[in-house]
């Protein structure tokens, strides 16, 4: 990556090639085998399955700004609006309210300068970093800069309910969906009472088809987001946004955070949007990436794959692929 993003400086993963194309298996380190199984199911769907047909050929995108200094945030926001055509910016917050406010203010100033006063949209992503009380205070303060919504301000559903009732800014949920072990219709339906927008990421929920089922069950407006994917993995998020005919800007601008990628060029927004596509890796880029993986890390990923393969989420693919082999 060009700079640290939520403690990550390097993304590692595996590509799986099948008759349908290429899938990406790249769960973060804090996902256990069962949760990583959903990532593997998403990769197997891409490689061996069929994605639902889509309604859109182009998806509007938001840019994303990490928890950088206010000065850097202003520069990145100006680049996103002026160079990439993104009128919606998602910015990370950390819980340090003074610094968070300065960062958001810098982004608002940059958007106003590039697009006109109040023309750009700002989304805040807290990743559950606030307590209930801190969330209410922070959202009240930051709302003066004009917020489209605040993503996952707190972790628990009880705290989400309290925050949702206390503030006027719409609340979006991400972790409440992708870390839900069951993802039952009942657990998803409950979110209607405590949130206004559902963030769905295909990799951690099990793929594009699973994402469609979740969107139908949750009954909220949807925004599709990536999972710090390479451009190969990003194709699944584009497919899901197309299948759901999502009109809001989706969180697919993470390619700008990558210093290197598996395709040439990297998928990034152009005029604020990205075309729906299926990509194969550039062989030279793939060889270069493979050359960075030590023997120790290769063994780690072989074990990671084996653990995920035995998960319940992969059971249908395991049966299908084992029988076909």
């Amino acid at each position: 990556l060009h700079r640290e993003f939520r403690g990550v400086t390097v993304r590692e993963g595996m590509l799986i090639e099948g008759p349908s194309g290429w899938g990406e298996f790249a769960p973060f380190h804090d996902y256990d085998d069962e949760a990583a199984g959903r990532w593997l199911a998403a990769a197997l769907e891409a490689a061996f399955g069929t994605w639902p047909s889509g309604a859109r050929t182009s998806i509007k995108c938001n840019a994303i700004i990490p928890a950088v200094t206010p000065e850097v945030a202003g520069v990145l926001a100006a680049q996103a609006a002026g160079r990439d055509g993104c009128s919606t910016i998602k910015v990370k917050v950390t819980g340090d309210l003074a610094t968070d406010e300065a960062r958001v203010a810098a982004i608002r100033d940059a958007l106003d300068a590039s697009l006109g006063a109040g023309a750009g949209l700002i989304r805040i992503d807290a990743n559950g970093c606030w307590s209930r009380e801190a969330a209410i205070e922070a959202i009240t303060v930051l709302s003066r800069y004009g917020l489209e919504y605040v993503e996952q301000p707190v972790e628990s559903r009880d705290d989400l309910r309290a925050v949702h009732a206390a503030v006027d800014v719409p609340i979006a949920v991400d972790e409440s969906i992708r870390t839900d072990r069951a993802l039952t219709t009942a657990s998803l339906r409950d979110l209607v009472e405590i949130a206004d927008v559902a963030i769905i990421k295909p990799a951690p929920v099990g793929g594009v088809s699973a994402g469609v089922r979740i969107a139908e069950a949750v009954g909220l407006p949807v925004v599709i987001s990536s999972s710090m994917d390479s451009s190969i993995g990003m194709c699944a998020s584009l497919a899901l946004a197309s299948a759901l005919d999502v009109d809001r800007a989706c969180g697919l601008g993470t390619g700008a955070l990558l210093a290197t990628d598996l395709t040439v060029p990297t998928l990034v927004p152009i005029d604020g949007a990205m075309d729906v596509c299926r990509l194969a890796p550039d062989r030279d880029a793939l060889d270069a990436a493979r050359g960075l993986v030590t023997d120790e890390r290769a063994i780690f990923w072989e074990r990671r794959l084996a653990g995920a393969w035995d998960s319940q989420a992969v059971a249908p693919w395991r049966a299908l692929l084992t029988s076909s082999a």
Side-chain angles (χ1 to χ4, degrees):
L1 277 63
H2 288 296
R3 53 177 56 84
E4 182 179 312
F5 184 80
R6 293 194 64 202
V8 176
T9 57
V10 174
R11 284 291 277 133
E12 275 187 347
M14 305 179 76
L15 293 187
I16 299 172
E17 184 183 13
S20 300
W22 290 81
E24 183 166 295
F25 173 62
F28 292 102
H29 72 278
D30 55 342
Y31 280 73
D32 62 19
D33 285 344
E34 191 60 38
R38 291 179 180 173
W39 292 68
L40 181 55
L44 294 173
E45 178 193 46
F48 295 94
T50 302
W51 285 338
S53 59
R56 291 175 180 264
T57 59
S58 181
I59 307 300
K60 292 188 292 187
C61 301
N62 69 241
I64 186 164
I65 294 181
V68 292
T69 66
E71 294 76 15
V72 173
V75 170
L76 294 178
Q79 290 176 347
R83 180 193 63 196
D84 302 329
C86 293
S87 59
T88 301
I89 304 287
K90 184 168 88 168
V91 56
K92 296 289 184 178
V93 293
T94 65
D96 178 349
L97 183 52
T99 304
D100 289 338
E101 182 179 7
R103 187 182 307 113
V104 173
I107 292 170
R108 171 51 64 200
D109 288 344
L111 286 175
D112 287 352
S114 297
L115 305 174
L121 298 176
I122 298 177
R123 301 167 172 175
I124 288 176
D125 188 1
N127 294 113
C129 74
W130 288 319
S131 67
R132 180 186 302 189
E133 295 75 16
I136 294 171
E137 177 189 8
I139 294 170
T140 301
V141 170
L142 298 176
S143 64
R144 69 186 63 166
Y145 300 98
L147 304 180
E148 183 187 12
Y149 58 69
V150 177
E151 185 175 325
Q152 202 69 44
V154 290
E155 291 184 351
S156 77
R157 294 197 174 196
D158 285 343
D159 286 342
L160 274 170
R161 189 182 310 277
V163 172
H164 186 253
V167 302
D168 293 329
V169 178
I171 301 298
V173 285
D174 170 12
E175 284 85 349
S176 294
I177 294 174
R178 63 179 169 86
T179 63
D180 183 341
R181 304 292 292 200
L183 284 177
T184 62
T185 299
S187 71
L188 292 167
R189 279 291 184 190
D190 287 345
L191 294 173
V192 172
E193 300 178 0
I194 59 177
D196 306 285
V197 178
I199 310 297
I200 302 179
K201 300 178 177 180
V205 302
V208 177
S209 296
V212 171
R213 292 193 298 270
I214 289 168
E216 293 172 346
V218 75
L220 288 170
V222 167
V223 168
I224 306 306
S225 186
S226 67
S227 303
M228 289 296 295
D229 311 304
S230 75
S231 291
I232 303 298
M234 184 71 71
C235 295
S237 295
L238 288 164
L240 179 55
S242 176
L244 294 173
D245 196 16
V246 178
D247 185 53
R248 290 177 183 252
C250 288
L252 309 179
T254 52
L257 302 175
L258 301 179
T260 59
D261 195 7
L262 301 176
T263 64
V264 180
T266 295
L267 278 179
V268 293
I270 298 174
D271 294 331
M274 292 169 62
D275 290 338
V276 178
C277 58
R278 291 290 299 255
L279 298 177
D282 176 86
R283 289 295 177 174
D284 290 339
L286 182 59
D287 288 343
R290 186 183 290 119
L292 299 174
V293 180
T294 65
D295 289 345
E296 180 183 11
R297 296 304 296 171
I299 292 171
F300 169 87
W301 280 99
E302 288 171 2
R303 291 172 177 169
R304 192 78 160 123
L305 181 65
W309 175 255
D310 290 334
S311 71
Q312 183 61 34
V314 180
W317 292 106
R318 192 165 57 241
L320 176 67
L321 295 175
T322 301
S323 63
S324 63

